[in-house]
Amino acid sequence: MDRFSETFRCCSHTEIDIMSATTSENSSQRVRNFLIAIVAIALGVALFLGLKTDTNTVSLTELAKTATPLETAVSNGKPSLVEFYANWCTVCQKMTPDMAKLRQEYGKKLNFVMLNVDNTKWLPEMLKYRVDGIPHFIFLGTAGETIGQTIGDIPRSIMASNLEALIAGSPLPNIQTNGKTSQFSAPVAKQTPQDDPRSHGSQVVN
């Protein structure tokens, strides 16, 4: 009877040890799974915020507010990139993140000028450069002379190569590059109040 009791106790201890080990393994697995889930969520949030920050930190309006005035740009001895734009221009909006990055990179050596085509103050410049689609970019030399121009959605790498050449005083390598634009026609006469300046291809008045 004693031998049976001893055998039973040994078996019971073995079963308890196995159950304890299994429980410990299950707990460790649950902890690992929980940590993996937390890390995955954190990475997902970081990626989302990173993408959002990359594309939405600067609006077109904010970029325009901090641009160099044209009068300053043609007199401070630095070359300039002049952009004709409008707040309703979807292509202009699309290019805003790239233009903000270019300004960060070249802003100390180059003037970034933004002229809103909805403002008839810039009508002489619109007619001078024959602006019929926006964004319309004019590259000016250090004395305010016209070096070249491009129109539409230009990839950032191509725009950067033109800016580097402009700063160096070299011929612009991609001056014939044109991309997608929002159509626009500069006014040649005073328009009636019912004309809508926000419709693409319309004549613009204040």
Side-chain angles (χ1 to χ4, degrees):
M1 188 69 175
D2 291 339
R3 188 176 303 171
F4 175 78
S5 298
E6 183 177 352
T7 302
F8 178 77
R9 284 197 299 273
C10 288
C11 291
S12 297
H13 285 308
T14 301
E15 290 175 357
I16 291 172
D17 290 341
I18 292 173
M19 291 176 63
S20 298
T22 301
T23 301
S24 178
E25 289 177 2
N26 289 339
S27 298
S28 298
Q29 185 64 38
R30 283 196 296 272
V31 171
R32 282 195 296 269
N33 290 342
F34 177 75
L35 291 176
I36 290 172
I38 292 296
V39 170
I41 292 171
L43 289 175
V45 171
L47 180 61
F48 173 77
L49 292 177
L51 290 174
K52 185 174 181 181
T53 299
D54 183 55
T55 56
N56 294 328
T57 50
V58 181
S59 70
L60 185 61
T61 301
E62 291 169 338
L63 205 62
K65 285 181 179 178
T66 57
T68 304
L70 180 61
E71 297 80 5
T72 301
V74 297
S75 62
N76 65 5
K78 294 195 295 185
S80 303
L81 175 67
V82 179
E83 177 184 356
F84 289 92
Y85 79 101
N87 291 327
W88 47 260
C89 170
T90 55
V91 181
C92 305
Q93 294 167 3
K94 177 179 180 292
M95 290 190 67
T96 298
D98 283 346
M99 295 307 298
K101 290 177 182 177
L102 289 170
R103 188 184 294 189
Q104 288 178 351
E105 188 171 357
Y106 300 105
K108 293 183 178 179
K109 301 178 181 180
L110 191 73
N111 299 307
F112 284 83
V113 180
M114 297 184 69
L115 306 181
N116 192 329
V117 297
D118 283 344
N119 187 345
T120 53
K121 173 184 178 180
W122 307 119
L123 179 57
E125 285 75 18
M126 287 184 253
L127 297 176
K128 176 181 178 180
Y129 296 112
R130 299 181 181 179
V131 177
D132 58 5
I134 52 177
H136 189 122
F137 299 96
I138 310 297
F139 299 85
L140 301 179
T142 54
E145 74 279 15
T146 303
I147 303 299
Q149 50 189 307
T150 59
I151 303 171
D153 186 5
I154 308 299
R156 182 157 59 101
S157 59
I158 292 179
M159 184 67 79
S161 65
N162 279 337
L163 295 182
E164 289 173 0
L166 183 65
I167 293 169
S170 304
L172 306 186
N174 299 297
I175 203 60
Q176 299 301 323
T177 302
N178 291 326
K180 182 179 179 182
T181 66
S182 292
Q183 293 303 307
F184 166 79
S185 296
V188 294
K190 186 173 179 61
Q191 301 300 306
T192 57
Q194 63 267 23
D195 290 327
D196 183 6
R198 290 176 174 77
S199 61
H200 291 200
S202 67
Q203 294 184 329
V204 177
V205 296
N206 263 343

